[in-house]
Structure formats: structure tokens, C-alpha cells
Amino acid sequence: MGSYIDANLTRDERIIQQASASWESQWPLFLPGALLIGNGFSEAEGVNFKLFLGGLLICIAALRVLTTELALTNKRVIAKVGFIRRQTVELRLEKIESLMVNQGIFGRMLNYGSVSVTGTGGTKTPIPYISDPASFRMAVNEFLENPSQFD
């Protein structure tokens, strides 16, 4: 599976900063998945269903992490979420109004959260599960203030 971002770079465009989805952000799916699988092995009744359901939860969590991409390039912010149902965001740097980071209590403890990019015209798109979202926001702000330092 190739990178959406690498495949969609334009001529003379280069990646300044990339962010990836956090495995820790998927604990709400990993935990019940592991419990169902563990419980499925210990009980004779309903083993196949519990193993299937536990495996399904873990596969969904893995797909969320593996199919979430976010990058700052020298021309735009690019993001992709999803595999079958794909959501993409490509916002030129001059159109960015703000970047917001949203972290719940577990996100603060495990250092993951959503990055919301707001563009002119009110376009606001959250990119979920991002590892260390504050660092990505800082990189975007630093690049917007002084793009020549990244040449």
C-alpha cells in the first residue's frame, strides 16, 4: 500500500513534516478485542464468534492507524483518512486560517489527538488519531512564519 501523500505531490513540492496516527489512540478497540479473543479461548461456547469479533475490532483499529496520513509540504497541508471510505484534505498554505488540536484526557496522557485545519471559507476538517499533534501544529506555524528556514 503506497503513500497517498507521496503519490500526490506536485512538481517541486517536498514534505516538510509528516505526522502519523497513534497506535495508542486505538486502545478503545484493542482492549475489548484482546479481551474477547482471550475470553474466546477459555470458553467452549461461542468461541468462534468471540474470536471473530475480537479479531474484527483489532483489524479495524489497525486499519485506522495504517490508513491515516498527514503532512505539511512547502505548498500545502495534505491529509487522508480511511481505506474504503476515504476522506482527503488538501489545503494550500495561503488558505490556512488556523490549526486546532483537540485532545481528551486519554489523548493528553498518551499524546494523541485530532488536528483540525481551518481554511478560508470556513472549511474545517478534523484529522483524528494523530500522534503528538501539538508538534505538527508547531511545525506548520514555524513554516508559515519563516518558510526560508526549511530550504
Side-chain angles (χ1 to χ4, degrees):
M1 189 166 29
S3 166
Y4 173 85
I5 292 169
D6 290 334
N8 286 285
L9 293 177
T10 62
R11 189 171 39 122
D12 298 328
E13 186 173 24
R14 61 182 173 35
I15 295 172
I16 304 298
Q17 177 84 21
Q18 279 190 288
S20 59
S22 164
W23 288 98
E24 291 84 359
S25 69
Q26 299 307 304
W27 70 266
L29 292 176
F30 280 129
L31 183 61
L35 290 173
L36 282 168
I37 288 173
N39 197 13
F41 283 122
S42 65
E43 293 182 14
E45 243 177 77
V47 170
N48 289 336
F49 180 71
K50 287 183 180 179
L51 292 176
F52 171 76
L53 189 56
L56 181 64
L57 290 174
I58 289 172
C59 284
I60 290 169
L63 271 174
R64 281 182 176 176
V65 171
L66 296 173
T67 62
T68 300
E69 300 179 50
L70 176 62
L72 164 68
T73 73
N74 58 327
K75 296 182 179 186
R76 58 194 169 149
V77 171
I78 306 171
K80 181 204 59 120
V81 178
F83 178 64
I84 294 172
R85 196 182 111 215
R86 179 186 289 182
Q87 177 185 6
T88 61
V89 176
E90 297 181 15
L91 190 58
R92 298 198 54 80
L93 294 178
E94 61 270 9
K95 300 292 183 181
I96 293 175
E97 285 186 350
S98 67
L99 266 86
M100 281 181 30
V101 170
N102 186 14
Q103 291 179 296
I105 189 165
F106 289 109
R108 293 274 298 150
M109 290 189 306
L110 300 173
N111 198 19
Y112 68 86
S114 293
V115 174
S116 294
V117 182
T118 305
T120 55
T123 305
K124 183 177 181 180
T125 307
I127 298 97
Y129 318 123
I130 300 301
S131 181
D132 197 10
S135 290
F136 184 80
R137 180 184 59 198
M138 181 66 73
V140 171
N141 287 334
E142 286 177 0
F143 184 79
L144 291 174
E145 287 178 11
N146 189 7
S148 63
Q149 74 181 354
F150 293 91
D151 287 335

